[in-house]
Amino acid sequence: MELTVADLRVTFPGAEEPAVAGVDLTLAGGETLCLVGESGSGKSVTALALMGLLPGRARMSAGILTLAHGGGTSDLADLDAEAHRRLRGRRMAMIFQEPMTSLNPVMTVGEQVREVLTIHQPGISAAEGRARVEAVFAQVRLPEPNQRYDEYPHRLSGGQRQRVMIAMALVAEPDLLIADEPTTALDVTVQAEILALLRDLQARNGMGLLFITHDFGVVAAIADRVAVMRRGAIVESGDRQTLLREPRHPYSRALLDALPERRPRPAGPKPGVEAALEVRDLAVHFPVRRGVLRRTVGHVRAVDGVDLTVRRGGITALVGESGSGKSTVARAILRLERPTTGSVWWEGEDLARLDGAELRRRRRHLQAVFQDPYSALNPRLSVATMLTEPMAVHGLGRDAADRLARARRLLELVDLPADSLDRYAHAFSGGQRQRLGIARALALEPRFLVCDEITSALDVSVQAGILDLLLRLRAEEGLSLLFITHDLGVVGYLADEVAVMEAGRIVEHGTTDQVLRSPREAYTQRLVAAVPRVE
Amino acid sequence: MNEAGPQEVARVTPARAIARAIFARRGARLGLAWIALVALLAVFAPFLASSQPLLVVGEGGFASPVLNHLAPEDGALLGVFLAVLVAWRLARRPRVALVTAAGLVTVALIASHTLLEPPRLVAHEQPRQTVAAGDWDWVVWAPVPWSPDDYLRDYGHTGLEAPLEAAPTRVHWLGTEAGGSDLLAGMIHATRVALGIGLVATGIALVIGVVIGGVMGYFSGIVDILGMRVVEVVEAIPTLFLLLIFVAFFGRDLYLMMVIIGLTSWSVYARYVRAEFLKLRQQEYVQAAVVAGLPLRSILFRHMLPNGMAPVLVTASFGVASAILAEATLSFLGLGPVDTPTWGRMLDQAVQSSTFNWWMALFPGGAIFCTVFAYNLLGEALRDAMDSEAA
């Protein structure tokens, strides 16, 4: 098999710039090409163009766009919709990012995969099809393929669903597999398994793999060759070693330099020894209710006996996989959730015991920045209102004019233009929104900041700016931070101490160097080993 | 490097952006134009259709019999109209606009109830007779020189007449009703009921629904469970039959109808607001407001309500249409208000006598159709605009 693309262009009507502006690439059988770039660089549009899945209003043109496969050579630019459809699945297949929504919830996963098979090989009998699907399930290492066949998607975990998606892509034995960020929504340990699986399957089937990602760690783990995309064009391509070690193009260099694990840890003030915030034996149990009367039949122990200390002026990272309870710890500290037992000591007071007006007064000192830059800002409030309302409630600033002046200084502090005050959230990019979220948290002059996955939705170059902003604020304002993340690269760059959570408990707590370099607990060792690294 | 500067459109407030998106749609402009026309007719009805001349000039000077016959509600409506105009002009400063408008409405209400005292018994024939007798030099008639309750006693003849079929001495553009009164005049005055019943009934339902739904959605838990049971009970009450019962017991009162329609139709809004609030509670900006220690009032009404009103407003515009239809249905069944002209009551007369009186079906029916259609167009455009805003 051989994929050849020359001068591929895609434009959307009404857009100022083409989404894809002259992409050239080649991919041979048994080879993995990683297409890397930040959001909006045109990687996914390129994949959709190859698959013939572009929306109808898009305009596509190409110098060459051919796929040589087991059944001859097809000119992908010239195919009509029906011919393209026959090629999809049989000769080329695609895996998407979101395993939770990529499967039909009312069909068993086995039938969904078998449907793909019978469409491309109509002669196949039901029993034979089932056997083939179970064989592919075994190939993608789904446990007990015979039983999995009759399961509905909601019974499978995210990793298992992604395995079903891969099985669906592979069942008709395509020559070319396109994977669009297939592991971005998964935990690192699951990601490591899926990447190993893809490498393995490719070695066995000899297919070409076009792998789209924004994560250089993943690139280092899977690519043979790498192409860096920016604004619809490939700025640099080469084999993995050369590109990761000696990038020639300034953009690839800037991208790689923005990786937190590649940047030298900045020298900052040493955190104090005394604790700013102490969490003791914290537990948060959610009742499970059933029936008409909503009787409590059990509890989900989201957080189950957590001890945690954040030092004055220090940054403590709380890491763990999804569902480990790290966000619930943050919500309990902020009293968005009432702790079931345990205490949260802040300046000699137990926040877990406070209520009403007492609690509202203390809230000023502990502020939060949230994960999703798009839902964290109220779309109906101007930036000025967003920043000054909390000030007015807590009696900061002499009058409205003084509060506006403070808001202007806050914007300056987070490097946003001062004329942002009368704008609304939709006018800002993801990174700018996250800066606004930080400005809003700082409006109350807090001394403690909880950051819950605040960079996980951002591109690396934007993330670098946000991380440096946090370090600067720590140095200038003397903030203490609890930084929740699943990205160990960010932890190594930012944190003084790390606490590792698993299933509602903290399994390891120590300095960043100790936990990341020589983890003591088995779970931490597995977690650290699963993180794909650029080195 | 990915952080592009804010665009210029940014200064547009979300509400303004939605308004702009609505006006960009032809259906919405059409619907709004019809509703505006109906509203103008409602406000200026006494000057558009009245048996009293607008202005008479004679040897003794001039007079305006129409003004002398203005009822308090005519004056109140004019005051409300003026207030809306002023508020529109001051839209850039919402607080000033609201205060000024509220003040104007209060003044208009008090003034019209103290100053306007129409004669209890109106002899509609009198101006026609005095004019015929040549008492005035110069007379300005209203565009439709008939009042809706002018049964043409001086013409002796009463009954249904098709448009322009009457005696050469009088012109009835749309024909006459069973009592002999002019249909066009009646239809112009009936716009008040059409507008009022929709807006007041929906307004009552909105207030109840938003408050109950908001409380259910924000507090959830046991409050939500009990609230939903109340909603289900209310939904089980058939509005039309309840209206029939109340009409039988308490007589045919228009205001009672508005209240009953309002009291039985709030459950839809409560459901929507509840669902929105349950969703909004999880939004990070609401959490941020809680963390910032903002008072509950601000969290509910500033941070949550404006973000959850979109589906409610869309439903409300359809609700206005169905309230109008409910009143029309009742009046058609002969159970509508007695002394107030309404489109439904006129429609009823189309089939009352042995013949089919086509004009009594076509014109009031067309008016009901257009008004309901206009509100539906508006609701449709509102939904599209909100959807495209949300996308």
Side-chain angles (χ1 to χ4, degrees):
Chain A
M1 100 102 219
E2 169 108 40
L3 173 72
T4 316
V5 179
D7 200 29
L8 175 69
R9 288 167 190 280
V10 181
T11 44
F12 289 95
E16 281 171 25
E17 285 179 36
V20 177
V23 159
D24 305 298
L25 55 87
T26 56
L27 177 64
E31 189 185 31
T32 301
L33 173 65
C34 268
L35 208 51
V36 219
E38 298 194 296
S39 48
S41 60
K43 350 183 253 302
S44 290
V45 178
T46 306
L48 292 176
L50 296 180
M51 292 295 291
L53 293 174
L54 284 172
R57 60 205 168 87
R59 293 267 161 277
M60 187 186 92
S61 73
I64 311 172
L65 189 60
T66 57
L67 177 70
H69 50 78
T73 300
S74 304
D75 186 351
L76 299 180
D78 213 31
L79 288 181
D80 59 36
E82 176 55 27
H84 225 134
R85 189 190 65 73
R86 262 182 277 125
L87 217 54
R88 276 199 297 271
R90 180 75 193 90
R91 298 298 175 193
M92 49 207 271
M94 187 161 172
I95 320 171
F96 296 92
Q97 173 172 351
E98 200 41 75
M100 292 305 177
T101 55
S102 297
L103 290 169
N104 183 345
V106 298
M107 246 175 117
T108 65
V109 292
E111 285 304 310
Q112 292 187 49
V113 178
R114 196 172 67 88
E115 188 187 8
V116 177
L117 187 63
T118 42
I119 284 169
H120 293 290
Q121 297 173 15
I124 215 157
S125 75
E128 199 183 330
R130 185 175 174 123
R132 282 271 299 274
V133 171
E134 284 174 12
V136 179
F137 276 2
Q139 246 183 52
V140 298
R141 292 190 217 121
L142 273 169
E144 297 160 283
N146 187 24
Q147 284 168 33
R148 285 296 102 74
Y149 187 97
D150 296 312
E151 293 286 23
Y152 287 90
H154 73 270
R155 301 259 299 158
L156 306 183
S157 70
Q160 286 177 330
R161 290 185 210 196
Q162 201 58 301
R163 282 167 202 267
V164 172
M165 287 306 296
I166 295 172
M168 191 185 285
L170 294 184
V171 70
E173 293 164 358
D175 302 271
L176 168 67
L177 178 63
I178 299 179
D180 189 357
E181 307 252 10
T183 58
T184 306
L186 305 175
D187 280 325
V188 274
T189 50
V190 184
Q191 164 172 292
E193 289 166 22
I194 297 280
L195 291 180
L197 172 70
L198 281 174
R199 260 197 317 263
D200 214 49
L201 291 170
Q202 186 191 28
R204 202 177 317 167
N205 300 5
M207 61 187 174
L209 177 58
L210 181 64
F211 196 104
I212 294 171
T213 182
H214 68 279
D215 185 339
F216 278 99
V218 172
V219 172
I222 200 167
D224 297 316
R225 286 190 302 122
V226 186
V228 181
M229 263 192 103
R230 183 199 192 187
R231 292 194 192 148
I234 290 177
V235 295
E236 180 174 2
S237 62
D239 69 272
R240 179 187 63 200
Q241 296 289 339
T242 331
L243 199 133
L244 291 184
R245 293 232 177 98
E246 298 140 16
R248 287 186 315 276
H249 195 276
Y251 178 72
S252 346
R253 216 175 300 141
L255 266 188
L256 279 161
D257 286 344
L259 291 175
E261 52 265 52
R262 282 247 173 147
R263 304 172 69 200
R265 217 186 121 78
K270 282 261 175 291
V273 272
E274 76 275 36
L277 181 97
E278 271 192 281
V279 176
R280 285 285 159 264
D281 201 28
L282 182 76
V284 183
H285 296 174
F286 295 111
V288 179
R289 295 175 197 278
R290 293 256 164 76
V292 191
L293 296 172
R294 319 293 297 148
R295 262 218 309 268
T296 307
V297 295
H299 285 95
V300 174
R301 295 163 186 265
V303 176
D304 206 14
V306 159
D307 293 302
L308 186 69
T309 306
V310 181
R311 298 191 194 288
R312 196 159 299 230
I315 301 180
T316 297
L318 190 58
V319 299
E321 299 189 289
S322 53
S324 61
K326 47 191 198 309
S327 286
T328 312
V329 169
R331 291 172 56 82
I333 290 173
L334 294 166
R335 276 301 301 276
L336 285 168
E337 217 67 75
R338 178 178 283 277
T340 313
T341 58
S343 45
V344 179
W345 292 99
W346 169 258
E347 310 214 315
E349 272 181 312
D350 185 1
L351 295 179
R353 302 266 166 280
L354 292 181
D355 261 313
E358 279 285 298
L359 177 63
R360 271 219 300 281
R361 250 200 314 284
R362 297 301 179 287
R363 285 195 183 281
R364 218 195 102 184
H365 303 305
L366 294 94
Q367 286 297 301
V369 186
F370 294 91
Q371 172 174 8
D372 179 4
Y374 291 90
S375 89
L377 304 180
N378 190 336
R380 311 255 169 208
L381 291 188
S382 69
V383 170
T385 318
M386 199 164 70
L387 294 179
T388 54
E389 192 196 354
M391 294 186 205
V393 166
H394 286 277
L396 270 75
R398 285 186 310 279
D399 49 25
D402 185 36
R403 284 192 278 273
L404 273 180
R406 279 165 178 256
R408 231 169 261 127
R409 275 202 301 280
L410 280 172
L411 291 177
E412 219 170 278
L413 194 65
V414 298
D415 298 320
L416 282 176
D419 64 345
S420 309
L421 272 182
D422 48 358
R423 292 173 204 272
Y424 288 80
H426 62 87
F428 297 92
S429 69
Q432 287 176 321
R433 281 167 189 242
Q434 218 50 312
R435 283 169 194 273
L436 272 179
I438 294 172
R440 178 180 59 191
L442 294 178
L444 291 176
E445 301 175 353
R447 276 168 286 158
F448 188 86
L449 206 56
V450 175
C451 303
D452 190 356
E453 299 269 13
I454 65 170
T455 59
S456 60
L458 304 177
D459 283 324
V460 272
S461 55
V462 182
Q463 166 177 289
I466 297 280
L467 294 182
D468 288 342
L469 170 64
L470 287 179
L471 285 171
R472 206 179 80 216
L473 288 172
R474 189 259 291 258
E476 287 172 9
E477 317 277 319
L479 280 171
S480 318
L481 267 84
L482 179 65
F483 194 90
I484 295 171
T485 183
H486 64 275
D487 186 339
L488 294 185
V490 171
V491 173
Y493 180 68
L494 195 71
D496 305 308
E497 290 181 32
V498 186
V500 183
M501 268 193 97
E502 189 202 9
R505 291 168 193 274
I506 288 188
V507 293
E508 187 161 2
H509 189 179
T511 62
T512 306
D513 271 353
Q514 183 258 307
V515 175
L516 294 190
R517 296 262 159 74
S518 46
R520 276 194 288 268
E521 298 296 322
Y523 176 74
T524 320
Q525 286 164 1
R526 250 190 303 137
L527 194 69
V528 171
V531 176
R533 282 166 206 285
V534 181
E535 271 74 33
Chain B
M1 58 189 74
N2 218 17
E3 301 190 26
Q7 301 121 33
E8 266 316 297
V9 282
R11 284 165 203 284
V12 178
T13 67
R16 200 168 279 260
I18 287 175
R20 206 176 277 177
I22 293 172
F23 275 105
R25 278 155 230 270
R26 194 190 296 158
R29 284 205 300 260
L30 221 65
L32 275 174
W34 177 262
I35 293 167
L37 175 71
V38 171
L40 282 177
L41 290 178
V43 169
F44 295 105
F47 303 101
L48 293 172
S50 175
S51 299
Q52 307 297 329
L54 299 180
L55 192 69
V56 286
V57 184
E59 280 158 17
F62 62 91
S64 173
V66 155
L67 283 183
N68 296 331
H69 285 80
L70 275 189
E73 53 260 41
D74 298 330
L77 262 181
L78 283 169
V80 170
F81 179 70
L82 195 67
V84 169
L85 274 191
V86 170
W88 184 271
R89 292 296 302 168
L90 293 174
R92 283 192 182 280
R93 284 178 296 165
R95 214 164 278 182
V96 181
L98 208 67
V99 171
T100 324
L104 271 173
V105 169
T106 325
V107 169
L109 275 178
I110 296 170
S112 55
H113 276 93
T114 49
L115 298 180
L116 295 178
E117 262 185 284
R120 278 180 191 235
L121 274 173
V122 187
H124 290 298
E125 311 84 63
Q126 194 206 342
R128 290 194 285 271
Q129 284 162 358
T130 41
V131 169
D135 287 3
W136 303 105
D137 298 337
W138 204 53
V139 182
V140 182
W141 289 101
V144 181
W146 315 101
S147 288
D149 53 350
D150 181 353
Y151 301 114
L152 312 179
R153 301 241 160 80
D154 52 339
Y155 290 96
H157 171 81
T158 53
L160 285 152
E161 289 172 347
L164 305 174
E165 246 183 26
T169 42
R170 33 193 188 101
V171 179
H172 299 290
W173 293 102
L174 301 185
T176 60
E177 293 183 55
S181 57
D182 184 74
L183 177 61
L184 181 55
M187 278 184 60
I188 289 175
H189 282 259
T191 51
R192 295 179 168 186
V193 174
L195 269 190
I197 196 140
L199 295 180
V200 174
T202 310
I204 293 172
L206 259 184
V207 171
I208 302 175
V210 165
V211 169
I212 293 185
V215 168
M216 286 197 298
Y218 186 80
F219 292 102
S220 67
I222 190 79
V223 179
D224 184 33
I225 295 169
L226 292 179
M228 281 312 281
R229 300 298 88 78
V230 175
V231 166
E232 280 155 15
V233 169
V234 170
E235 275 179 352
I237 300 171
T239 308
L240 199 62
F241 290 98
L242 190 73
L243 278 173
L244 289 176
I245 293 168
F246 269 79
V247 165
F249 277 99
F250 301 103
R252 311 165 174 192
D253 182 26
L254 187 65
Y255 294 100
L256 189 69
M257 277 186 191
M258 293 180 182
V259 172
I260 291 171
I261 296 179
L263 284 181
T264 49
S265 58
W266 56 265
S267 54
V268 196
Y269 309 115
R271 273 179 186 277
Y272 274 116
V273 173
R274 166 185 174 269
E276 286 293 314
F277 270 40
L278 281 176
K279 192 181 79 191
L280 286 171
R281 230 158 50 105
Q282 306 299 325
Q283 291 285 308
E284 288 176 347
Y285 58 80
V286 176
Q287 310 261 306
V290 175
V291 168
L294 301 186
L296 184 63
R297 181 170 37 87
S298 167
I299 293 173
L300 282 180
F301 294 111
R302 184 185 273 215
H303 292 265
M304 290 174 79
L305 192 57
N307 287 295
M309 274 310 275
V312 180
L313 285 180
V314 173
T315 327
S317 56
F318 293 113
V320 172
S322 69
I324 294 173
L325 280 180
E327 184 279 326
T329 311
L330 267 194
S331 301
F332 180 72
L333 294 176
L335 297 165
V338 195
D339 295 325
T340 332
T342 79
W343 291 339
R345 203 184 75 189
M346 296 166 199
L347 205 54
D348 180 28
Q349 296 174 14
V351 287
Q352 248 180 11
S353 60
S354 52
T355 52
F356 175 62
N357 308 303
W358 61 268
W359 62 99
M360 295 305 293
L362 181 66
F363 302 119
I368 293 172
F369 170 80
C370 286
T371 310
V372 170
F373 188 51
Y375 278 112
N376 283 345
L377 277 177
L378 205 60
E380 204 73 52
L382 201 59
R383 170 158 53 205
D384 291 351
M386 303 271 191
D387 284 352
S388 63
E389 267 303 293

mmCIF file with all atom_site columns, all heavy atoms in Angstrom, chain A residues 208-221:
data_model
loop_
_atom_site.group_PDB
_atom_site.id
_atom_site.type_symbol
_atom_site.label_atom_id
_atom_site.label_alt_id
_atom_site.label_comp_id
_atom_site.label_asym_id
_atom_site.label_entity_id
_atom_site.label_seq_id
_atom_site.pdbx_PDB_ins_code
_atom_site.Cartn_x
_atom_site.Cartn_y
_atom_site.Cartn_z
_atom_site.occupancy
_atom_site.B_iso_or_equiv
_atom_site.pdbx_formal_charge
_atom_site.auth_seq_id
_atom_site.auth_comp_id
_atom_site.auth_asym_id
_atom_site.auth_atom_id
_atom_site.pdbx_PDB_model_num
ATOM 1   N N   . GLY A 1 208 ? -0.516 0.852  6.703  1.00 0.00 ? 208 GLY A N   1
ATOM 2   C CA  . GLY A 1 208 ? 0.051  2.163  6.943  1.00 0.00 ? 208 GLY A CA  1
ATOM 3   C C   . GLY A 1 208 ? -0.767 2.847  8.016  1.00 0.00 ? 208 GLY A C   1
ATOM 4   O O   . GLY A 1 208 ? -1.987 2.719  8.052  1.00 0.00 ? 208 GLY A O   1
ATOM 5   N N   . LEU A 1 209 ? -0.119 3.570  8.936  1.00 0.00 ? 209 LEU A N   1
ATOM 6   C CA  . LEU A 1 209 ? -0.835 4.223  10.035 1.00 0.00 ? 209 LEU A CA  1
ATOM 7   C C   . LEU A 1 209 ? -0.560 5.715  9.987  1.00 0.00 ? 209 LEU A C   1
ATOM 8   O O   . LEU A 1 209 ? 0.594  6.146  10.079 1.00 0.00 ? 209 LEU A O   1
ATOM 9   C CB  . LEU A 1 209 ? -0.384 3.626  11.373 1.00 0.00 ? 209 LEU A CB  1
ATOM 10  C CG  . LEU A 1 209 ? -0.964 4.227  12.645 1.00 0.00 ? 209 LEU A CG  1
ATOM 11  C CD1 . LEU A 1 209 ? -2.486 4.134  12.642 1.00 0.00 ? 209 LEU A CD1 1
ATOM 12  C CD2 . LEU A 1 209 ? -0.403 3.522  13.871 1.00 0.00 ? 209 LEU A CD2 1
ATOM 13  N N   . LEU A 1 210 ? -1.626 6.481  9.794  1.00 0.00 ? 210 LEU A N   1
ATOM 14  C CA  . LEU A 1 210 ? -1.504 7.937  9.860  1.00 0.00 ? 210 LEU A CA  1
ATOM 15  C C   . LEU A 1 210 ? -2.060 8.339  11.216 1.00 0.00 ? 210 LEU A C   1
ATOM 16  O O   . LEU A 1 210 ? -3.254 8.198  11.475 1.00 0.00 ? 210 LEU A O   1
ATOM 17  C CB  . LEU A 1 210 ? -2.292 8.599  8.726  1.00 0.00 ? 210 LEU A CB  1
ATOM 18  C CG  . LEU A 1 210 ? -2.226 10.127 8.687  1.00 0.00 ? 210 LEU A CG  1
ATOM 19  C CD1 . LEU A 1 210 ? -0.814 10.601 8.434  1.00 0.00 ? 210 LEU A CD1 1
ATOM 20  C CD2 . LEU A 1 210 ? -3.151 10.670 7.607  1.00 0.00 ? 210 LEU A CD2 1
ATOM 21  N N   . PHE A 1 211 ? -1.195 8.809  12.103 1.00 0.00 ? 211 PHE A N   1
ATOM 22  C CA  . PHE A 1 211 ? -1.565 9.034  13.493 1.00 0.00 ? 211 PHE A CA  1
ATOM 23  C C   . PHE A 1 211 ? -1.553 10.531 13.762 1.00 0.00 ? 211 PHE A C   1
ATOM 24  O O   . PHE A 1 211 ? -0.526 11.199 13.628 1.00 0.00 ? 211 PHE A O   1
ATOM 25  C CB  . PHE A 1 211 ? -0.551 8.320  14.395 1.00 0.00 ? 211 PHE A CB  1
ATOM 26  C CG  . PHE A 1 211 ? -1.018 8.147  15.801 1.00 0.00 ? 211 PHE A CG  1
ATOM 27  C CD1 . PHE A 1 211 ? -1.467 6.920  16.250 1.00 0.00 ? 211 PHE A CD1 1
ATOM 28  C CD2 . PHE A 1 211 ? -1.007 9.211  16.699 1.00 0.00 ? 211 PHE A CD2 1
ATOM 29  C CE1 . PHE A 1 211 ? -1.900 6.742  17.554 1.00 0.00 ? 211 PHE A CE1 1
ATOM 30  C CE2 . PHE A 1 211 ? -1.437 9.044  17.996 1.00 0.00 ? 211 PHE A CE2 1
ATOM 31  C CZ  . PHE A 1 211 ? -1.883 7.806  18.433 1.00 0.00 ? 211 PHE A CZ  1
ATOM 32  N N   . ILE A 1 212 ? -2.718 11.055 14.136 1.00 0.00 ? 212 ILE A N   1
ATOM 33  C CA  . ILE A 1 212 ? -2.825 12.492 14.384 1.00 0.00 ? 212 ILE A CA  1
ATOM 34  C C   . ILE A 1 212 ? -2.787 12.746 15.875 1.00 0.00 ? 212 ILE A C   1
ATOM 35  O O   . ILE A 1 212 ? -3.517 12.107 16.641 1.00 0.00 ? 212 ILE A O   1
ATOM 36  C CB  . ILE A 1 212 ? -4.122 13.030 13.779 1.00 0.00 ? 212 ILE A CB  1
ATOM 37  C CG1 . ILE A 1 212 ? -4.044 12.902 12.266 1.00 0.00 ? 212 ILE A CG1 1
ATOM 38  C CG2 . ILE A 1 212 ? -4.367 14.466 14.191 1.00 0.00 ? 212 ILE A CG2 1
ATOM 39  C CD1 . ILE A 1 212 ? -5.333 13.187 11.583 1.00 0.00 ? 212 ILE A CD1 1
ATOM 40  N N   . THR A 1 213 ? -1.937 13.654 16.310 1.00 0.00 ? 213 THR A N   1
ATOM 41  C CA  . THR A 1 213 ? -1.852 13.930 17.745 1.00 0.00 ? 213 THR A CA  1
ATOM 42  C C   . THR A 1 213 ? -1.314 15.336 17.978 1.00 0.00 ? 213 THR A C   1
ATOM 43  O O   . THR A 1 213 ? -0.795 15.979 17.068 1.00 0.00 ? 213 THR A O   1
ATOM 44  C CB  . THR A 1 213 ? -0.949 12.906 18.452 1.00 0.00 ? 213 THR A CB  1
ATOM 45  O OG1 . THR A 1 213 ? -0.935 13.166 19.842 1.00 0.00 ? 213 THR A OG1 1
ATOM 46  C CG2 . THR A 1 213 ? 0.468  12.969 17.921 1.00 0.00 ? 213 THR A CG2 1
ATOM 47  N N   . HIS A 1 214 ? -1.470 15.804 19.218 1.00 0.00 ? 214 HIS A N   1
ATOM 48  C CA  . HIS A 1 214 ? -0.856 17.083 19.570 1.00 0.00 ? 214 HIS A CA  1
ATOM 49  C C   . HIS A 1 214 ? 0.227  16.845 20.610 1.00 0.00 ? 214 HIS A C   1
ATOM 50  O O   . HIS A 1 214 ? 0.861  17.752 21.094 1.00 0.00 ? 214 HIS A O   1
ATOM 51  C CB  . HIS A 1 214 ? -1.917 18.033 20.136 1.00 0.00 ? 214 HIS A CB  1
ATOM 52  C CG  . HIS A 1 214 ? -2.437 17.568 21.461 1.00 0.00 ? 214 HIS A CG  1
ATOM 53  N ND1 . HIS A 1 214 ? -3.401 16.592 21.570 1.00 0.00 ? 214 HIS A ND1 1
ATOM 54  C CD2 . HIS A 1 214 ? -2.095 17.895 22.716 1.00 0.00 ? 214 HIS A CD2 1
ATOM 55  C CE1 . HIS A 1 214 ? -3.638 16.351 22.839 1.00 0.00 ? 214 HIS A CE1 1
ATOM 56  N NE2 . HIS A 1 214 ? -2.865 17.114 23.564 1.00 0.00 ? 214 HIS A NE2 1
ATOM 57  N N   . ASP A 1 215 ? 0.431  15.547 20.970 1.00 0.00 ? 215 ASP A N   1
ATOM 58  C CA  . ASP A 1 215 ? 1.241  15.195 22.128 1.00 0.00 ? 215 ASP A CA  1
ATOM 59  C C   . ASP A 1 215 ? 2.576  14.618 21.649 1.00 0.00 ? 215 ASP A C   1
ATOM 60  O O   . ASP A 1 215 ? 2.632  13.550 21.050 1.00 0.00 ? 215 ASP A O   1
ATOM 61  C CB  . ASP A 1 215 ? 0.446  14.158 22.942 1.00 0.00 ? 215 ASP A CB  1
ATOM 62  C CG  . ASP A 1 215 ? 1.149  13.809 24.236 1.00 0.00 ? 215 ASP A CG  1
ATOM 63  O OD1 . ASP A 1 215 ? 2.371  14.031 24.331 1.00 0.00 ? 215 ASP A OD1 1
ATOM 64  O OD2 . ASP A 1 215 ? 0.472  13.302 25.145 1.00 0.00 ? 215 ASP A OD2 1
ATOM 65  N N   . PHE A 1 216 ? 3.664  15.341 21.929 1.00 0.00 ? 216 PHE A N   1
ATOM 66  C CA  . PHE A 1 216 ? 4.966  14.872 21.457 1.00 0.00 ? 216 PHE A CA  1
ATOM 67  C C   . PHE A 1 216 ? 5.407  13.599 22.157 1.00 0.00 ? 216 PHE A C   1
ATOM 68  O O   . PHE A 1 216 ? 6.201  12.831 21.627 1.00 0.00 ? 216 PHE A O   1
ATOM 69  C CB  . PHE A 1 216 ? 6.013  15.979 21.617 1.00 0.00 ? 216 PHE A CB  1
ATOM 70  C CG  . PHE A 1 216 ? 5.981  16.961 20.486 1.00 0.00 ? 216 PHE A CG  1
ATOM 71  C CD1 . PHE A 1 216 ? 5.333  18.176 20.620 1.00 0.00 ? 216 PHE A CD1 1
ATOM 72  C CD2 . PHE A 1 216 ? 6.579  16.648 19.274 1.00 0.00 ? 216 PHE A CD2 1
ATOM 73  C CE1 . PHE A 1 216 ? 5.293  19.065 19.563 1.00 0.00 ? 216 PHE A CE1 1
ATOM 74  C CE2 . PHE A 1 216 ? 6.535  17.535 18.221 1.00 0.00 ? 216 PHE A CE2 1
ATOM 75  C CZ  . PHE A 1 216 ? 5.889  18.746 18.361 1.00 0.00 ? 216 PHE A CZ  1
ATOM 76  N N   . GLY A 1 217 ? 4.911  13.376 23.371 1.00 0.00 ? 217 GLY A N   1
ATOM 77  C CA  . GLY A 1 217 ? 5.215  12.134 24.059 1.00 0.00 ? 217 GLY A CA  1
ATOM 78  C C   . GLY A 1 217 ? 4.696  10.953 23.253 1.00 0.00 ? 217 GLY A C   1
ATOM 79  O O   . GLY A 1 217 ? 5.394  9.957  23.041 1.00 0.00 ? 217 GLY A O   1
ATOM 80  N N   . VAL A 1 218 ? 3.457  11.073 22.755 1.00 0.00 ? 218 VAL A N   1
ATOM 81  C CA  . VAL A 1 218 ? 2.866  10.023 21.939 1.00 0.00 ? 218 VAL A CA  1
ATOM 82  C C   . VAL A 1 218 ? 3.658  9.855  20.650 1.00 0.00 ? 218 VAL A C   1
ATOM 83  O O   . VAL A 1 218 ? 3.906  8.741  20.192 1.00 0.00 ? 218 VAL A O   1
ATOM 84  C CB  . VAL A 1 218 ? 1.385  10.354 21.650 1.00 0.00 ? 218 VAL A CB  1
ATOM 85  C CG1 . VAL A 1 218 ? 0.817  9.381  20.641 1.00 0.00 ? 218 VAL A CG1 1
ATOM 86  C CG2 . VAL A 1 218 ? 0.582  10.326 22.935 1.00 0.00 ? 218 VAL A CG2 1
ATOM 87  N N   . VAL A 1 219 ? 4.076  10.977 20.072 1.00 0.00 ? 219 VAL A N   1
ATOM 88  C CA  . VAL A 1 219 ? 4.886  10.919 18.849 1.00 0.00 ? 219 VAL A CA  1
ATOM 89  C C   . VAL A 1 219 ? 6.125  10.075 19.092 1.00 0.00 ? 219 VAL A C   1
ATOM 90  O O   . VAL A 1 219 ? 6.442  9.160  18.330 1.00 0.00 ? 219 VAL A O   1
ATOM 91  C CB  . VAL A 1 219 ? 5.308  12.344 18.411 1.00 0.00 ? 219 VAL A CB  1
ATOM 92  C CG1 . VAL A 1 219 ? 6.297  12.275 17.260 1.00 0.00 ? 219 VAL A CG1 1
ATOM 93  C CG2 . VAL A 1 219 ? 4.088  13.152 18.020 1.00 0.00 ? 219 VAL A CG2 1
ATOM 94  N N   . ALA A 1 220 ? 6.813  10.358 20.199 1.00 0.00 ? 220 ALA A N   1
ATOM 95  C CA  . ALA A 1 220 ? 8.048  9.636  20.511 1.00 0.00 ? 220 ALA A CA  1
ATOM 96  C C   . ALA A 1 220 ? 7.771  8.155  20.690 1.00 0.00 ? 220 ALA A C   1
ATOM 97  O O   . ALA A 1 220 ? 8.619  7.318  20.402 1.00 0.00 ? 220 ALA A O   1
ATOM 98  C CB  . ALA A 1 220 ? 8.673  10.215 21.774 1.00 0.00 ? 220 ALA A CB  1
ATOM 99  N N   . ALA A 1 221 ? 6.548  7.835  21.157 1.00 0.00 ? 221 ALA A N   1
ATOM 100 C CA  . ALA A 1 221 ? 6.251  6.437  21.440 1.00 0.00 ? 221 ALA A CA  1
ATOM 101 C C   . ALA A 1 221 ? 5.886  5.645  20.192 1.00 0.00 ? 221 ALA A C   1
ATOM 102 O O   . ALA A 1 221 ? 6.080  4.443  20.161 1.00 0.00 ? 221 ALA A O   1
ATOM 103 C CB  . ALA A 1 221 ? 5.118  6.348  22.460 1.00 0.00 ? 221 ALA A CB  1
#
